[in-house]
């Protein structure tokens, strides 16, 4: 499961790397990276460009949380889901508080792409928790002394 957590870590890190590597035209770098992928991945371009609004420190916090999720996934998948959810809450909360206003200068595709990436990660985390969560009934016994 760790590679799936790393995919989301990489997806959210790409806009920050694009700003570092090509500060004048980060969208062109994102488009070039996505162009190297199969054609079905074209919507990723707008999704990633939609996260160019995020400050670097927000991306760093979320990246560390997602890397912790990937590290934990080998031992305990539900713990990894918790770490991934923490990253989602950090970036999702920032998007709700000031990201939507910052995105007003972005294209409609990028505005939509920003929340779609959040939704995709949420669906992944939810399905992972459901599939790998406890599936046996354990009766809790209370003893009185």
């Amino acid at each position: 499961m760790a590679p799936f957590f790393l995919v989301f870590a990489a997806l959210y890190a790409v806009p920050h790397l694009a700003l570092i590597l090509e500060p004048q035209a980060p969208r062109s770098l994102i488009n070039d990276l996505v162009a190297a992928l199969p054609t079905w991945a074209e919507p990723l371009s707008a999704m990633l460009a939609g996260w160019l609004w995020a400050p670097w420190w927000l991306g760093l916090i979320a990246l560390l949380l997602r890397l912790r999720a990937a590290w934990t996934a080998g031992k305990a998948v539900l713990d990894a889901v918790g770490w991934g959810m923490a990253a989602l809450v950090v970036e999702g909360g920032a998007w709700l508080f000031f990201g939507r206003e910052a995105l007003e200068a972005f294209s409609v595709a990028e505005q939509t792409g920003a929340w779609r990436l959040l939704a995709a990660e949420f669906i992944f985390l939810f399905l992972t928790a459901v599939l790998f969560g406890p599936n046996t009934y354990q009766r809790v016994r209370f003893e009185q002394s």
Side-chain angles (χ1 to χ4, degrees):
M1 288 303 300
F4 294 105
F5 287 96
L6 289 174
V7 164
F8 281 103
L11 287 176
Y12 282 99
V14 165
H16 299 289
L17 288 174
L19 279 171
I20 291 169
L21 297 175
E22 209 168 314
Q24 288 77 24
R27 284 174 179 80
S28 66
L29 180 61
I30 290 171
N31 290 336
D32 292 343
L33 289 172
V34 173
L37 299 173
T39 56
W40 56 263
E42 284 179 17
L44 275 178
S45 185
M47 289 176 155
L48 299 177
W51 281 92
L52 288 170
W53 68 269
W56 68 268
W57 53 267
L58 177 68
L60 180 63
I61 292 169
L63 177 66
L64 293 175
L65 291 169
R66 287 186 179 98
L67 291 176
R68 176 69 178 177
W71 179 266
T72 307
K75 296 175 275 191
V77 175
L78 285 182
D79 290 346
V81 169
W83 285 104
M85 189 59 74
L88 181 70
V89 166
V90 166
E91 285 194 331
W95 175 76
L96 285 172
F97 279 110
F98 51 86
R100 293 182 302 155
E101 292 174 4
L103 279 167
E104 288 177 359
F106 288 57
S107 72
V108 175
E110 292 172 348
Q111 291 176 20
T112 304
W115 70 261
R116 283 188 177 166
L117 190 56
L118 287 172
E121 186 177 21
F122 175 78
I123 292 167
F124 162 71
L125 292 171
F126 179 79
L127 290 177
T128 302
V130 169
L131 292 174
F132 293 98
N135 58 4
T136 58
Y137 176 73
Q138 292 183 350
R139 186 173 175 183
V140 178
R141 297 177 188 253
F142 293 102
E143 294 182 21
Q144 294 182 358
S145 46

